[in-house]
């Protein structure tokens, strides 16, 4: 039976989940301000690298406080900006501070959670909820109080959260020096380097598949399903498909407690490929099922992906490893928008999904290779642990 988490750990995990929701929310406030927001999205990817390094070398708790305070002050600056130049600067600062969350928050959650799978799954749902609320809440604030309120309201919430966080979540002095330098399942140097290289492929493929399908999904449903379903229901169908992804994350959080994560990772990757390939051929109501399978696998792999990385990475290095993982994923995310426009213009959604399925196949090969390479190490560890149990 898992031991109960101390109250300060529960509070810390609660703030980590709230931060994930905030991170996705604030980064979508200005999604339609393409010219002004582009530097912010670039900063969101690039600055994840130094954020992970600083967290490992300094303090993850203080970096999370910096995330809240930095995002809050940037949002307030954006809401008070007197011209477009200063608005662009404030948004770029927001992207810079927003970059802190994923490498730092994920490493903290892995370190502190007793049930890692369930905790990561719920954390993922919190991020999805933040993204889902962003458009509606922003529109409501603009309609009721003007565009500045769309920045000022969440900015005030972030600053207030930073103050409360510092009071309720204690720092751990000299924690960086005491972090474990041995992974849960240690790998030899050559094998670790090979696995890292495969995870580079995984991160790039994951970023492309996730974003191409997520961005294309509403228009795809409208185009291929519009004749069979009333137009008012098209948006609802797209939403339900995304809900399947959220439910899949929760399910995967439980499944990792029953099955080896590296095997589950390869299985979900295969399901993702088959779902996208099926969606490329499907029309009408069958398309709904195909997209639901695809989205379930796309969201489900996020949870198990982080768990597998954590399993073979020492705590002292996790911030940096997650920083590389998310930097590559966000880099691919930017490329996904360009790729989607290029492919759709030359072959419609048939070409879009066919190409995405090919990328997903690369994901399958990489995860299968990881599973094969670490399986021997896992069996050796299991034999070593068995007598003690």
């Amino acid at each position: 039976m898992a031991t109960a988490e101390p109250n300060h750990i529960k509070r810390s995990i609660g703030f980590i989940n709230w931060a994930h929701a905030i991170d996705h929310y604030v980064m979508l406030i200005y999604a339609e301000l393409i010219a002004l927001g582009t530097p912010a999205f670039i900063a969101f990817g690039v600055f994840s690298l130094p954020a992970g390094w600083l967290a490992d070398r300094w303090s993850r708790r203080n970096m999370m406080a910096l995330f809240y305070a930095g995002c809050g002050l940037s949002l307030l600056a954006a809401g008070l900006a007197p011209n477009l130049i200063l608005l662009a600067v404030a948004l770029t600062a927001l992207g810079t501070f927003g970059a802190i969350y994923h490498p730092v928050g994920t490493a903290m959650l892995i370190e502190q959670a007793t049930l890692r799978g369930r905790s990561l799954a719920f954390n993922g749902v919190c991020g999805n909820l933040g993204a889902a609320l962003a458009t509606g809440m922003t529109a409501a604030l603009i309609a009721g109080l003007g565009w500045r309120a769309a920045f000022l309201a969440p900015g005030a919430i972030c600053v207030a959260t930073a103050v409360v966080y510092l009071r309720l979540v204690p720092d751990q002095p000299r924690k960086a020096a005491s972090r474990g330098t041995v992974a849960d399942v240690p790998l030899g140097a050559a094998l670790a380097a090979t696995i890292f290289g495969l995870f580079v492929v995984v991160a790039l493929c994951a970023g492309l598949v996730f974003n191409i399908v997520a961005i294309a999904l509403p228009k795809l449903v409208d185009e291929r399903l519009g004749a069979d379903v009333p137009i008012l229901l098209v948006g609802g169908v797209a939403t339900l498909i995304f809900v399947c992804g959220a439910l899949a994350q929760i399910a995967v959080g439980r499944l990792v407690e029953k099955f080896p994560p590296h095997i589950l990772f390869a299985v979900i990757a295969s399901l993702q490929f088959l779902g996208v390939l099926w969606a490329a051929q499907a029309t009408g109501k069958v398309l709904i099922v195909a997209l639901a399978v695809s989205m379930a696998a796309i969201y489900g792999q996020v949870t198990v992906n982080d768990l597998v990385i954590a399993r073979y990475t020492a705590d002292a290095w996790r911030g940096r490893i997650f920083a590389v993982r998310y930097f590559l994923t966000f880099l691919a995310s930017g490329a996904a928008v360009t790729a989607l426009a290029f492919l759709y213009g030359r072959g419609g959604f048939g070409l879009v999904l066919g190409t995405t399925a090919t990328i997903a196949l690369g994901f399958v090969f990489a995860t299968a290779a990881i599973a094969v390479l670490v399986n021997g190490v896992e069996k050796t560890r299991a034999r070593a642990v068995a007598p003690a149990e």
Side-chain angles (χ1 to χ4, degrees):
M1 179 180 295
T3 57
E5 293 163 339
N7 287 334
H8 72 278
I9 294 295
K10 291 180 180 178
R11 288 196 296 269
S12 178
I13 291 175
F15 277 107
I16 292 169
N17 292 333
W18 176 237
H20 199 191
I22 287 289
D23 199 36
H24 283 277
Y25 180 98
V26 301
M27 291 303 295
L28 290 178
I29 291 175
Y30 55 89
E32 296 183 6
L33 302 175
I34 298 175
L36 295 178
T38 297
F41 282 105
I42 293 173
F44 190 67
V46 171
F47 282 94
S48 62
L49 293 173
W53 182 87
L54 272 172
D56 283 346
R57 301 289 295 177
W58 179 41
S59 165
R60 290 173 184 169
R61 176 262 195 177
N62 289 347
M63 286 296 290
M64 285 302 298
L66 184 61
F67 160 79
Y68 279 120
C71 286
L73 293 174
S74 299
L75 286 164
L76 293 176
L80 298 173
N83 55 57
L84 292 179
I85 293 177
L86 290 180
L87 177 59
V89 171
L91 294 180
T92 303
L94 178 60
T96 301
F97 288 110
I100 293 173
Y101 173 74
H102 283 92
V104 181
T106 306
M108 283 184 73
L109 192 61
I110 290 289
E111 176 192 3
Q112 296 176 358
T114 301
L115 297 172
R116 287 178 175 176
R118 299 185 194 191
S119 297
L120 277 172
F122 182 74
N123 178 262
V125 172
C126 290
N128 297 335
L129 184 62
L133 291 175
T135 302
M137 290 296 294
T138 299
L141 286 168
I142 291 174
L145 301 171
W147 72 268
R148 293 185 185 275
F151 294 104
L152 294 175
I157 291 172
C158 286
V159 171
T161 303
V163 175
V164 176
Y165 178 77
L166 287 170
R167 289 180 63 86
L168 295 183
V169 179
D171 198 9
Q172 297 169 302
R174 299 182 296 280
K175 183 64 179 176
S178 63
R179 289 194 183 110
T181 56
V182 178
D184 295 349
V185 180
L187 304 175
L191 180 57
T194 303
I195 297 298
F196 180 80
L198 289 168
F199 266 111
V200 169
V201 176
V202 166
L204 292 172
C205 290
L208 286 168
V209 173
F210 187 104
N211 285 278
I212 289 176
V213 175
I215 295 169
L217 192 145
K219 185 172 175 58
L220 172 62
V221 170
D222 184 34
E223 182 176 297
R224 291 194 176 180
L225 203 66
D228 297 333
V229 174
I231 190 66
L232 291 176
L233 294 181
V234 170
V237 169
T239 300
L240 287 175
I241 292 171
F242 279 110
V243 169
C244 288
L247 294 175
Q249 281 190 294
I250 296 173
V252 169
R254 297 300 182 95
L255 288 173
V256 293
E257 298 172 9
K258 302 179 182 298
F259 300 99
H262 60 289
I263 301 298
L264 189 61
F265 195 21
V267 171
I268 293 174
S270 299
L271 187 63
Q272 176 182 259
F273 164 68
L274 293 173
V276 175
L277 188 63
W278 187 13
Q281 310 299 323
T283 57
K285 294 179 177 61
V286 176
L287 178 66
I288 299 174
V289 181
L291 288 173
V293 171
S294 303
M295 198 56 65
I298 286 169
Y299 274 84
Q301 65 82 19
V302 175
T303 298
V304 72
N305 191 340
D306 287 339
L307 282 170
V308 173
I309 290 175
R311 188 167 177 79
Y312 305 110
T313 305
D315 184 42
W317 288 84
R318 280 185 192 140
R320 279 163 278 190
I321 296 298
F322 280 122
V324 173
R325 177 254 207 267
Y326 283 107
F327 167 73
L328 292 171
T329 299
F330 294 143
L331 181 69
S333 300
V337 178
T338 302
L340 176 59
F342 177 84
L343 293 169
Y344 183 78
R346 283 157 180 76
F349 281 120
L351 181 59
V352 168
L353 293 174
T355 303
T356 306
T358 303
I359 298 169
L361 185 59
F363 194 121
V364 172
F365 287 144
T367 55
I370 291 170
V372 170
L373 289 172
V374 303
N375 202 51
V377 179
E378 290 283 356
K379 287 182 177 179
T380 300
R381 179 179 180 275
R383 285 194 296 268
V385 172
E389 295 178 341

